[in-house]
Amino acid sequence: MNLEDTTRKVIDSLDIDGLLERFDEPLYLVGGSVRDAILGRLGTDLDFTTPARPEKVKAILEDWAETVWDTGIEFGTVSAAYRGQQIEITTFRADNYDGHSRNPEVAFGDTLEGDLIRRDFRINAMALEMHTREFHDPMGGVTDLFKGVIDTPATPEQSFHDDPLRMLRAARFASQLGFDVAPRVRQAMEEMSAEINRITVERVAMELDKLILGQHPETGIDILVETGLMEHIFPEIPALLMSPDEHAQHKDVYAHSKQVLRQAIDQEEEPDLVLRWAALLHDIGKPDTRDTQDGRVSFHHHEVVGAKLARKRLRKLKYPKSVIEQVGQLVYLHMRFYGFGENQWTDSAVRRYVADAGELLPRLHKLVRADCTTRNKKKAARLARTYDQLLDWIDEIQAKEDLARVRPDLDGNEIMEILDLKPGPDVGRAWSFLKELRLEEGPLDREVAIAKLRHWWETQK
């Protein structure tokens, strides 16, 4: 690759007309923006650094950009929006860390090299001067980039001591880029894994999501498990590395879970965080439910236990309630399909399957298909055929009954009028009875529904 040609093309491709003319000090495209530009994947988030102080940068941007915000100005960063791009310009930094938190004592620097050496990884420590088009790579980031390796500018021990979150970022970049971490970085991660406990769970969750949404999440997951970091942040995942039974009657659950994740990704139209988490976690209930009787291994109700474990861990990581419930429900439902064989579904079972999945039904379809990792081609074909039959059945009933909105044939007001009830728990119980009746028998004529409701109410008395 000709870096001179690459840098020229990068500069020419940037839509920042008028910005350079306003800067009378050097302005460098820096960090991940340079890395992505060399890889041919530069997006619309552009990072720059400059010796100019924040107040001067702010004044320049206010004279040029469409929108400017200075929420990071105390750390030397001023942000702007311009023609669909988000631009961040940060004054050279020379930070000091106290070794207890990841928040540095901010100090502005005077040299580009001093700014680059403080960065997390060498592949993020390259810069491109916009006026002169000079490429700066004092740490050898391009070499690492071509080797596909993630290494730190300083020693990894010092880097991770300053900011333990960088250990997670190493795994995250491995996931996003398909790279591996350097041996010395891996060793430092193993020795310092407990340092991750200095980081807030919100920041941990943010990095985990970026890792899960990467192109190669299995790579990042392996790094976290192998270095011991995952034991501190999501111990249910390394717990999947169960010892095989003496007869090897169950598959490697950890390897299976990663394969299900990959097969779920292969079905995506676009990256789906909920689906990916559900695919990775769908069997986390197996270690707690493993049982051996008569030489056979079973995991009865592992989906129930797994759903509880998934919800509990995601709550500890302070995930949004919607994500917690959606992932938990998918884990809970992923075995429902296997309770029926070919030609063993009923209209009632189909209605309940759709009703329980609700808006998660498209994701559940993908998860169930991804969960088939058998090498037995006949078994795989049989499972696929059975699921195809289920989908046809869902379509057939949906065409007649509007399964997406299954509700009782009588509403609450009608229930109160028919049974001469006042608002209260009895109305809710009657409504639940009619909902179950609707799922079991499908839509009913009004008179039939009223007769069944009255008969049920007499039995309750």
Side-chain angles (χ1 to χ4, degrees), residues 156-386:
E157 290 81 6
Q158 180 61 53
S159 181
F160 298 155
H161 179 71
D162 287 346
D163 185 358
L165 189 66
R166 289 172 175 171
M167 294 187 286
L168 278 188
R169 286 170 61 83
R172 187 248 288 186
F173 283 124
S175 167
Q176 292 177 328
L177 303 173
F179 287 8
D180 196 3
V181 295
R184 69 172 190 157
V185 171
R186 183 179 289 268
Q187 181 177 347
M189 291 170 71
E190 292 173 359
E191 295 172 352
M192 302 177 67
S193 62
E195 291 291 302
I196 199 63
N197 294 310
R198 288 165 45 194
I199 304 300
T200 65
V201 293
E202 293 90 346
R203 295 306 302 266
V204 168
M206 189 180 300
E207 287 298 326
L208 283 177
D209 283 352
K210 291 177 181 178
L211 185 156
I212 291 292
L213 290 172
Q215 294 184 355
H216 312 275
E218 314 97 304
T219 300
I221 292 165
D222 277 341
I223 291 171
L224 294 182
V225 170
E226 292 164 5
T227 58
L229 274 160
M230 195 70 90
E231 191 66 46
H232 292 280
I233 58 179
F234 213 129
E236 294 80 5
I237 294 175
L240 296 172
L241 288 163
M242 296 185 291
S243 301
D245 62 289
E246 59 179 336
H247 302 293
Q249 289 187 340
H250 73 78
K251 64 185 71 178
D252 183 332
V253 182
Y254 176 69
H256 165 74
S257 298
K258 291 189 297 174
Q259 186 178 348
V260 172
L261 171 61
R262 172 46 53 191
Q263 293 181 174
I265 291 172
D266 291 342
Q267 298 178 69
E268 292 177 335
E269 291 79 26
E270 58 185 30
D272 185 335
L273 182 66
V274 168
L275 175 64
R276 293 189 182 197
W277 269 122
L280 179 62
L281 303 179
H282 76 287
D283 275 348
I284 62 168
K286 282 192 170 181
D288 288 351
T289 58
R290 177 178 170 179
D291 188 28
T292 304
Q293 290 185 349
D294 301 325
R296 299 181 64 85
V297 179
S298 64
F299 305 96
H300 293 305
H301 305 303
H302 73 272
E303 70 278 12
V304 178
V305 174
K308 291 179 180 178
L309 290 174
R311 290 188 176 105
K312 183 178 180 180
R313 179 57 56 186
L314 293 175
R315 282 193 204 101
K316 286 186 176 181
L317 291 169
K318 297 188 178 180
Y319 272 82
K321 289 183 179 179
S322 59
V323 173
I324 295 170
E325 289 310 309
Q326 289 173 351
V327 173
Q329 186 69 351
L330 285 170
V331 173
Y332 175 73
L333 292 174
H334 85 274
M335 289 296 293
R336 181 75 62 84
F337 163 74
Y338 296 97
F340 299 89
E342 290 184 88
N343 303 315
Q344 292 183 8
W345 285 83
T346 63
D347 285 357
S348 173
V350 171
R351 291 189 196 99
R352 292 178 186 279
Y353 192 77
V354 174
D356 289 348
E359 63 182 15
L360 293 173
L361 186 62
R363 287 184 172 121
L364 183 59
H365 290 332
K366 294 174 183 175
L367 177 59
V368 172
R369 289 193 184 278
D371 195 21
C372 178
T373 60
T374 179
R375 296 181 181 179
N376 185 318
K377 293 183 178 180
K378 288 185 177 180
K379 182 178 179 181
R382 176 170 52 80
L383 290 171
R385 183 172 62 252
T386 304

Side-chain angles (χ1 to χ4, degrees), residues 60-120:
I60 292 173
L61 288 177
E62 288 178 336
D63 184 52
W64 171 77
E66 298 158 358
T67 306
V68 176
W69 56 98
D70 61 1
T71 52
I73 197 167
E74 64 177 310
F75 299 104
T77 299
V78 183
S79 305
Y82 182 77
R83 294 182 180 177
Q85 303 166 111
Q86 181 170 316
I87 293 167
E88 287 191 353
I89 302 180
T90 302
T91 300
F92 287 167
R93 296 258 295 268
D95 303 333
N96 294 309
Y97 291 83
D98 61 12
H100 299 291
S101 73
R102 65 179 298 267
N103 298 319
E105 178 184 334
V106 176
F108 298 133
D110 297 312
T111 67
L112 174 66
E113 183 165 337
D115 180 86
L116 295 179
I117 196 171
R118 72 174 184 83
R119 293 177 179 265
D120 53 3

Side-chain angles (χ1 to χ4, degrees), residues 29-39 41 116 119-127 135-154 169-182 184-185:
L29 188 71
V30 72
S33 293
V34 178
R35 177 199 71 222
D36 290 344
I38 294 173
L39 294 174
R41 49 190 285 175
L116 295 179
R119 293 177 179 265
D120 53 3
F121 303 110
R122 298 197 299 221
I123 59 173
N124 296 331
M126 299 176 285
F135 182 71
H136 297 264
D137 182 21
M139 309 301 156
V142 165
T143 300
D144 285 356
L145 206 58
F146 292 159
K147 288 182 178 179
V149 67
I150 298 168
D151 204 347
T152 53
R169 286 170 61 83
R172 187 248 288 186
F173 283 124
S175 167
Q176 292 177 328
L177 303 173
F179 287 8
D180 196 3
V181 295
R184 69 172 190 157
V185 171

